[in-house]
Amino acid sequence: MQRAAALVRRGCGPRTPSSWGRSQSSAAAEASAVLKVRPERSRRERILTLESMNPQVKAVEYAVRGPIVLKAGEIELELQRGIKKPFTEVIRANIGDAQAMGQQPITFLRQVMALCTYPNLLDSPSFPEDAKKRARRILQACGGNSLGSYSASQGVNCIREDVAAYITRRDGGVPADPDNIYLTTGASDGISTILKILVSGGGKSRTGVMIPIPQYPLYSAVISELDAIQVNYYLDEENCWALNVNELRRAVQEAKDHCDPKVLCIINPGNPTGQTMSGERPCPCLVELMGASLGRKKLTLHPVATANASLFTICCWCQVQSRKCIEDVIHFAWEEKLFLLADEVYQDNVYSPDCRFHSFKKVLYEMGPEYSSNVELASFHSTSKGYMGECGYRGGYMEVINLHPEIKGQLVKLLSVRLCPPVSGQAAMDIVVNPPVAGEESFEQFSREKESVLGNLAKKAKLTEDLFNQVPGIHCNPLQGAMYAFPRIFIPAKAVEAAQAHQMAPDMFYCMKLLEETGICVVPGSGFGQREGTYHFRMTILPPVEKLKTVLQKVKDFHINFLEKYA
């Protein structure tokens, strides 16, 4: 290479234009000849390959944005290029992204965010004073009075104070300490951070993390990434996806043979199953059964009640896990020395008239100091769900109680590595926990919009449940909360064989066919976990009512044709 460069340089010096050109051309040709006779080096191997990469990362799977979603993206590109399909659009019913499905933002939240983002608007008469008041308070707590500055790693102080005040109101006066509040990048960030601190040991002493099946795939993904041990406990599908403490005992005893169970994760209300742990009133069927046993009234159970119902049987239609169930779970965690993770991001999404949300923090406190002073609990909330649907802001918080003081320092250290969560997301979280109150200018509009969103979701939950249960081969439990349906589907043996031939799980095969024939993108139940031999899919109920009716009709038609094809 040096010789070739010297040959090129040799042509330098004062020359006439013509001689310069001939000399330069000759030198370049000679240099090229030198390079050609030089043997080529073999291409260096890549440092990072599938074989050399972190195996824990390779083991991570996240079904909500998995292969079927990638296929949906390919189909969308084909539609844009004019390739004909049996449909004109892909309907992404795979994820709980409310505003992508057409839900309108809450006006007050966006007003405060606009004021925080562009403070010059604080002088505008177009914005209500209660929105300006909140924006000023948030900005005054930010460095340089700007959302563009870093915050403390634990979050903006005044926002943590507002979160603590919100928790105290929500839980009927149970105190919350701002120092136990950590603002996060959505709830997912908090969950993965806590698990990072909890996972340790090797071999049989490796940390086991108990998760519900079906579960939200974040949990299995983080467990894989951290090389922890996943310990499955199964929700009772025949009983509205109820959580049974005896099942927890089975799971933890079996796990002790190969790991150290240390963490118990609860999702309430449930994702993907939509159950809640918050029953208040007695089941109507129980009342009727008791009345019938005393000869006072005719026995008329709901059609899904068990045929051999005894005096104390509660039918699947009405049964909701009670507050007593939460107490039993807390007692189990205390007994087994488990760290509790309570994923409560759907706490506003409770639709059944017989239900109301009970936080694990509140029930723990009311169980007395033996529990409230000893059980370690991390609870999570987010701006992404509820009535807000502000997924893109990535706002969230976690409250961690009974944490050892030295571990608290380690947690703050770990959080400081990522500097701070997005300050705009922190501001959005503040508006969620500090909304307009009665007597303020924006209260009526805010209440109207909030009730409209939640009322529509309740209507769509019932619509989805009813229509699915009219389809032969589909059964859907009552959607008591959250924003998804998780119906059980019958898949014929021939379809199972066809799936195996394509090296797919049967419900993945089903969902892929559904996507290719209707444009509807849902997530197969195998991505969430399910009992062997059962098949499901998760579908969001977020589309507008009329569009949801169309989606459900298309699923019905597809399912009937699928059963006929593979009969």
Side-chain angles (χ1 to χ4, degrees):
M1 180 65 77
Q2 290 174 338
R3 184 183 169 200
L7 287 168
V8 174
R9 287 197 301 270
R10 217 165 52 196
C12 297
R15 286 182 173 82
T16 62
S18 59
S19 65
W20 167 261
R22 286 194 301 274
S23 174
Q24 190 76 351
S25 174
S26 174
E30 193 173 345
S32 177
V34 170
L35 289 172
K36 283 179 180 177
V37 298
R38 177 170 164 252
E40 287 188 16
R41 292 181 183 176
S42 59
R43 185 172 180 174
R44 194 192 76 172
E45 290 184 1
R46 305 275 179 161
I47 293 170
L48 186 59
T49 66
L50 283 174
E51 289 70 34
S52 66
M53 72 175 287
N54 184 333
Q56 270 62 63
V57 174
K58 190 160 61 172
V60 169
E61 293 183 359
Y62 187 62
V64 173
R65 295 199 174 190
I68 200 158
V69 181
L70 297 177
K71 181 66 175 178
E74 292 173 10
I75 292 174
E76 283 180 325
L77 291 175
E78 291 173 353
L79 288 171
Q80 290 170 15
R81 293 199 300 266
I83 297 175
K84 297 296 182 184
K85 302 282 182 184
F87 47 87
T88 58
E89 65 171 331
V90 171
I91 299 173
R92 290 180 174 264
N94 60 294
I95 195 166
D97 191 350
Q99 294 184 25
M101 284 289 183
Q103 180 178 307
Q104 292 303 299
I106 298 296
T107 301
F108 184 77
L109 190 149
R110 287 301 182 88
Q111 286 173 331
V112 179
M113 290 305 301
L115 292 164
C116 288
T117 305
Y118 189 58
N120 288 357
L121 293 174
L122 287 165
D123 296 326
S124 169
S126 300
F127 290 81
E129 284 304 316
D130 48 359
K132 291 179 180 180
K133 176 183 174 182
R134 283 163 176 77
R136 289 191 185 99
R137 182 168 183 270
I138 293 168
L139 290 172
Q140 286 166 7
C142 296
N145 293 330
S146 173
L147 288 189
S149 61
Y150 288 127
S151 76
S153 298
Q154 201 168 336
V156 175
N157 285 337
C158 78
I159 298 177
R160 289 165 47 220
E161 290 170 359
D162 287 347
V163 170
Y166 160 79
I167 292 170
T168 300
R169 291 193 309 272
R170 180 199 69 187
D171 292 345
V174 175
D177 184 350
D179 199 39
N180 292 334
I181 306 298
Y182 303 81
L183 300 180
T184 57
T185 308
S188 302
D189 173 44
I191 292 165
S192 59
T193 298
I194 285 293
L195 285 173
K196 280 179 186 176
I197 286 192
L198 280 161
V199 172
S200 64
K204 288 189 175 182
S205 65
R206 190 65 175 165
T207 297
V209 182
M210 300 180 67
I211 63 172
I213 298 296
Q215 52 109 18
Y216 177 51
L218 164 73
Y219 291 94
S220 55
V222 175
I223 290 167
S224 293
E225 183 183 354
L226 298 177
D227 198 24
I229 306 300
Q230 179 173 316
V231 179
N232 296 338
Y233 66 88
Y234 290 87
L235 302 178
D236 184 0
E237 183 173 10
E238 303 306 318
N239 196 18
C240 284
W241 299 110
L243 192 163
N244 189 313
V245 175
N246 288 332
E247 170 62 12
L248 293 179
R249 290 197 178 94
R250 177 208 61 79
V252 80
Q253 290 306 316
E254 290 182 6
K256 286 177 180 178
D257 292 337
H258 59 273
C259 70
D260 176 21
K262 195 188 291 183
V263 188
L264 172 58
C265 303
I266 306 288
I267 308 174
N268 180 42
N271 174 12
T273 51
Q275 90 287 2
T276 66
M277 302 173 69
S278 50
E280 285 294 310
R281 299 201 295 263
C283 166
C285 287
L286 177 60
V287 173
E288 292 196 27
L289 281 162
M290 293 176 71
S293 70
L294 298 173
R296 288 200 298 261
K297 64 184 296 184
K298 183 180 178 182
L299 181 60
T300 53
L301 297 183
H302 285 298
V304 291
T306 54
N308 60 345
S310 62
L311 178 61
F312 295 107
T313 296
I314 302 177
C315 82
C316 186
W317 181 272
C318 310
Q319 204 276 343
V320 184
Q321 295 186 68
S322 67
R323 182 184 182 283
K324 175 68 165 56
C325 180
I326 299 178
E327 292 180 0
D328 291 343
V329 170
I330 291 171
H331 177 74
F332 172 79
W334 174 83
E335 193 175 48
E336 294 290 341
K337 297 181 180 177
L338 298 171
F339 195 113
L340 265 175
L341 302 188
D343 183 339
E344 299 175 337
V345 301
Y346 295 100
Q347 59 189 259
D348 289 306
N349 301 104
V350 178
Y351 311 127
S352 171
D354 295 327
C355 300
R356 62 184 288 261
F357 173 75
H358 292 293
S359 75
F360 267 74
K361 160 82 177 297
K362 179 178 187 287
V363 177
L364 175 64
Y365 184 87
E366 292 173 346
M367 288 175 71
E370 185 177 13
Y371 296 95
S372 62
S373 300
N374 292 296
V375 175
E376 294 149 287
L377 169 68
S379 307
F380 308 91
H381 196 19
S382 166
T383 63
S384 301
K385 309 305 177 184
Y387 59 89
M388 306 80 68
E390 294 287 2
C391 304
Y393 277 118
R394 308 306 301 129
Y397 74 75
M398 61 179 174
E399 181 187 24
V400 190
I401 60 173
N402 294 326
L403 205 59
H404 190 288
E406 291 179 0
I407 295 299
K408 203 168 191 176
Q410 293 295 317
L411 175 56
V412 173
K413 179 186 74 175
L414 183 59
L415 291 171
S416 69
V417 173
R418 53 93 158 118
L419 296 178
C420 68
V423 180
S424 55
Q426 296 184 50
M429 192 75 248
D430 186 75
I431 306 158
V432 172
V433 299
N434 186 23
V437 296
E440 287 189 307
E441 184 178 350
S442 302
F443 177 71
E444 287 189 11
Q445 182 181 7
F446 170 81
S447 299
R448 202 165 51 245
E449 291 177 354
K450 176 182 176 180
E451 290 167 10
S452 174
V453 170
L454 295 176
N456 277 331
L457 284 170
K459 179 180 179 182
K460 289 185 284 190
K462 191 69 173 69
L463 171 70
T464 303
E465 174 197 333
D466 289 347
L467 291 185
F468 271 148
N469 284 327
Q470 294 173 15
V471 183
I474 295 182
H475 172 71
C476 184
N477 273 327
L479 308 184
Q480 299 166 336
M483 48 184 63
Y484 313 99
F486 196 67
R488 183 169 175 173
I489 52 175
F490 171 70
I491 297 182
K494 286 186 179 179
V496 174
E497 292 171 5
Q500 291 169 346
H502 287 82
Q503 296 184 324
M504 288 183 184
D507 50 4
M508 171 65 84
F509 178 76
Y510 178 97
C511 293
M512 197 66 79
K513 290 293 184 185
L514 175 67
L515 172 63
E516 292 170 349
E517 295 180 24
T518 69
I520 297 169
C521 180
V522 298
V523 189
S526 50
F528 300 88
Q530 55 197 354
R531 284 197 180 274
E532 188 72 26
T534 67
Y535 307 110
H536 305 78
F537 63 79
R538 189 191 80 164
M539 187 191 87
T540 181
I541 61 170
L542 289 171
V545 171
E546 291 308 313
K547 191 166 195 174
L548 181 61
K549 288 179 180 178
T550 300
V551 169
L552 293 169
Q553 184 62 48
K554 285 186 175 184
V555 172
K556 175 183 177 180
D557 294 342
F558 166 82
H559 186 78
I560 291 171
N561 291 334
F562 185 88
L563 293 182
E564 290 176 354
K565 181 176 180 180
Y566 292 101

